[in-house]
Amino acid sequence: MCIILLSVTLTSRAQNSVVVQSDQGRTIINRNIYGHFAEHLGRCIYDGFYVGDNKKIPNKEGVRLDIIEALKKLKVPVLRWPGGCFADTYHWMDGIGPKDKRPSMLNVWWGGTTEDNSFGTHDFLNMCEMLGAAPYLSGNVGSGTVQELSDWVKYVNHKAGSSPMPMLREKNGRKDPWNVKFWGIGNEAWGCGGNMKAEYYANIYRQYATFMSNWGNDEESKIFRIASGANSSDYNWTEVLMRDIPHNMLEGVALHHYAVIDWNKKSSATAFTEQEYFTTMKRAWQMEELVTRHSTIMDKYDPQKKVALLVDEWGGWYDVEPGTNGAFLYQQNTMRDAMIAGISLNIFNNHADRVRMANIAQTINVLQAVILTKEEKIILTPTYHVMEMYNVHQDATLLPLSIKTNDYKLGDEKLPAVSVSASVDKAGLMHISLVNIDSQKDQEVSIDLRGAKVNSVSGRILGSAKLQDHNSFENPDKIKPVAFKSAAINGSMLKVKLPAFSVVVLEVR
């Protein structure tokens, strides 16, 4: 077991200092921590991933090729679909077969729009193959049936000719199974997924999981069943699931948390105040407490850490852009979002012994998106660039570290100014990701690489002149990573100067 020494000392007079135990790495950072989430919500699927027969936008089977190219650069490891709240109203058989024969449906959760089901199971799973990403299917428990979800598993995973479902799949143009590993058994069962109590959902989960048993004896064919997890700090929910569900029926427990100022009064995505920024950072830093406390509960029932914690919805949530549909959750993406991404990914890395998947909400045009589209144009957001910079941590070995950091102060409140995680990859390259959330002050950081011999250091930085800066369709490259040159070597020590509200990833040889 890897012990992560995340002792955060808050003192405005002390030097920011980090000690990295360079020769004590044990835990692998699961690549799925860098996962994404795509819901039938607003313009995420339609007019995002999928443009149908639009001849003006290069596509393959309706999927935008520029989106695929951009996401491949992120090394997207896993993609969750079709929801979200939408999942518990979605009946998968409506989205298979000839597109002109598919029934339409009303999206009751997100704007009351009519869905024609032209993007369904085949479209999503084939798109995942184009991306090189593992699909994560969120099953309908709220309004579906055990039979329906069991049949979906058979349809996408069973061998050709073995039963009626794979025969139907072959009739619809796909002979070989997709072998989908990740399956969510409902979504937000405490809310839009059925308003259930924890004990009731635990029983429902057991029923569904029974009929989603593995279809083969080898490890590769085993499915990974994910329980609908807690809403932020609902620790009782995790307690009940870990207590009442046999662990041989449970591979993962989800957790949802958004960096939202106030659910009744959020903030503008771009015209926010210093106080609104500080409160958002406070909500983002709360992820450390949530992951720690939910993990502690899981440790009580599962000390060997066989059951994973999956933060399969996270990100910033603000008011929609003026003039857009309020139910479509379309918001701009600023340096504030880069700070959320940097902090959150560092937290997930540092808890990689328990956190083995996370899915940012959402990939395109919704909430903290990595890509925004406007007709034939796309822009890459600051969040995109952070995730691209950080993908060096995927499948690398986590390096334990301890940190002493200055305060980021506003009035009588204070937060840790600096966030850090570190790893070493299979080629022996060390990567250190650092975030300075202080909106006013640079931070000098001393990094002691215990057990390492340092020959050179290079890096990239993401920063801008103002917190509210963002990429627009008129100026798509306003914010992008550039070379970082403010790192100096002295033996096994690094001295780094982090500008205010910036993200830096160092490569150490």
Side-chain angles (χ1 to χ4, degrees):
M1 182 179 71
C2 180
I3 301 173
I4 308 302
L5 304 173
L6 281 179
S7 56
V8 178
T9 301
L10 305 180
T11 166
S12 59
R13 293 174 291 179
Q15 169 85 23
N16 297 293
S17 63
V18 178
V19 177
V20 178
Q21 305 295 345
S22 305
D23 56 357
Q24 294 185 23
R26 298 290 184 272
T27 301
I28 301 298
I29 297 173
N30 195 309
R31 66 171 59 193
N32 293 328
I33 282 173
Y34 292 82
H36 291 254
F37 171 36
E39 183 170 3
H40 284 248
L41 196 174
R43 294 170 51 241
C44 184
I45 301 297
Y46 302 108
D47 202 30
F49 279 106
Y50 187 75
V51 294
D53 59 1
N54 188 328
K55 300 297 191 296
K56 295 181 180 179
I57 300 174
N59 67 84
K60 181 180 180 181
E61 299 176 347
V63 175
R64 288 185 67 142
L65 293 177
D66 53 358
I67 296 286
I68 296 297
E69 180 183 3
L71 293 178
K72 280 185 174 180
K73 292 178 181 176
L74 286 189
K75 302 178 183 177
V76 172
V78 62
L79 183 61
R80 179 174 180 247
W81 175 87
C85 291
F86 180 83
D88 282 295
T89 60
Y90 180 69
H91 300 282
W92 68 270
M93 292 194 76
D94 292 342
I96 60 173
K99 292 183 187 289
D100 61 353
K101 303 294 185 183
R102 298 178 187 179
S104 61
M105 64 175 290
L106 193 67
N107 190 334
V108 296
W109 287 109
W110 305 114
T113 56
T114 299
E115 296 264 352
D116 66 2
N117 278 309
S118 57
F119 188 89
T121 295
H122 288 249
D123 308 277
F124 173 70
L125 296 179
N126 290 343
M127 183 180 76
C128 286
E129 288 185 335
M130 293 170 63
L131 277 172
Y136 168 6
L137 293 178
S138 185
N140 182 348
V141 170
S143 68
T145 66
V146 173
Q147 182 73 56
E148 182 179 15
L149 187 49
S150 176
D151 282 347
W152 203 10
V153 174
K154 296 170 186 173
Y155 186 87
V156 302
N157 282 352
H158 283 208
K159 293 179 180 179
S162 61
S163 68
M165 285 297 108
M167 291 171 66
L168 178 60
R169 178 188 73 225
E170 190 168 1
K171 179 183 176 182
N172 289 328
R174 174 80 180 204
K175 180 179 180 180
D176 296 329
W178 288 279
N179 295 328
V180 175
K181 185 177 185 68
F182 300 108
W183 292 85
I185 301 181
N187 167 78
E188 295 189 356
W190 41 264
C192 64
N195 283 306
M196 304 177 193
K197 293 182 178 180
E199 290 81 2
Y200 181 81
Y201 172 72
N203 285 334
I204 290 290
Y205 175 95
R206 291 167 63 134
Q207 181 186 14
Y208 273 76
T210 298
F211 296 95
M212 295 175 67
S213 56
N214 302 326
W215 67 96
N217 295 320
D218 57 292
E219 283 299 318
E220 288 187 3
S221 68
K222 288 184 178 180
I223 63 175
F224 191 103
R225 295 159 296 186
I226 302 160
S228 171
N231 178 20
S232 198
S233 59
D234 184 355
Y235 301 112
N236 178 67
W237 188 276
T238 299
E239 180 91 31
V240 171
L241 298 194
M242 292 300 295
R243 183 194 69 204
D244 291 359
I245 300 174
H247 295 172
N248 63 355
M249 301 177 70
L250 179 67
E251 285 73 46
V253 174
L255 170 65
H256 291 180
H257 175 67
Y258 288 94
V260 59
I261 292 174
D262 186 315
W263 287 106
N264 297 313
K265 186 179 180 182
K266 302 179 182 75
S267 77
S268 165
T270 56
F272 52 88
T273 64
E274 172 83 0
Q275 181 62 62
E276 288 172 327
Y277 169 72
F278 186 94
T279 303
T280 304
M281 292 301 99
K282 186 176 181 180
R283 301 288 185 265
W285 263 118
Q286 188 185 358
M287 186 69 79
E288 172 68 36
E289 176 185 341
L290 295 174
V291 169
T292 298
R293 292 187 63 181
H294 283 289
S295 295
T296 299
I297 294 167
M298 296 175 75
D299 288 346
K300 182 169 67 172
Y301 297 95
D302 174 35
Q304 294 182 319
K305 301 182 186 293
K306 292 182 178 180
V307 180
L309 179 63
L310 299 91
V311 189
D312 59 11
E313 289 188 29
W314 67 272
W317 193 320
Y318 319 118
D319 294 331
V320 302
E321 292 305 298
T324 66
N325 188 321
F328 284 7
L329 306 186
Y330 177 80
Q331 62 189 41
Q332 250 297 352
N333 198 285
T334 68
M335 285 301 300
R336 172 170 64 170
D337 296 280
M339 299 299 101
I340 295 174
I343 289 174
S344 300
L345 293 171
N346 281 342
I347 291 169
F348 301 150
N349 286 347
N350 287 324
H351 289 274
D353 59 340
R354 180 65 81 175
V355 178
R356 298 199 276 278
M357 186 190 293
N359 307 77
I360 189 168
Q362 293 182 11
T363 314
I364 308 171
N365 293 328
V366 173
L367 298 177
Q368 194 175 338
V370 296
I371 296 174
L372 302 178
T373 70
K374 183 179 181 182
E375 298 172 346
E376 75 282 359
K377 298 179 180 178
I378 70 170
I379 55 176
L380 309 179
T381 68
T383 298
Y384 174 97
H385 292 304
V386 172
M387 297 199 79
E388 187 274 327
M389 292 166 68
Y390 272 53
N391 69 26
V392 293
H393 292 299
Q394 292 186 21
D395 293 331
T397 301
L398 177 67
L399 297 178
L401 59 83
S402 59
I403 177 173
K404 293 182 179 179
T405 170
N406 290 339
D407 296 334
Y408 165 39
K409 292 183 176 180
L410 187 67
D412 295 330
E413 294 187 284
K414 58 186 179 181
L415 293 169
V418 177
S419 166
V420 187
S421 68
S423 69
V424 60
D425 66 17
K426 293 177 182 177
L429 296 177
M430 185 188 303
H431 294 97
I432 306 171
S433 48
L434 304 106
V435 184
N436 173 19
I437 67 168
D438 196 311
S439 64
Q440 303 294 333
K441 297 177 181 179
D442 297 350
Q443 298 290 336
E444 293 187 358
V445 184
S446 173
I447 306 174
D448 182 359
L449 302 177
R450 299 271 175 90
K453 182 180 179 181
V454 181
N455 296 315
S456 66
V457 61
S458 59
R460 291 191 295 162
I461 182 171
L462 190 75
S464 197
K466 296 195 314 181
L467 273 167
Q468 293 80 5
D469 284 348
H470 55 275
N471 293 333
S472 65
F473 293 100
E474 296 73 32
N475 189 1
D477 294 320
K478 183 180 182 68
I479 301 172
K480 62 181 181 180
V482 297
F484 179 70
K485 299 179 180 179
S486 297
I489 304 171
N490 182 9
S492 64
M493 298 290 295
L494 298 180
K495 295 286 188 179
V496 180
K497 185 175 183 180
L498 301 176
F501 57 94
S502 65
V503 178
V504 169
V505 176
L506 301 176
E507 181 174 286
V508 181
R509 295 177 180 267

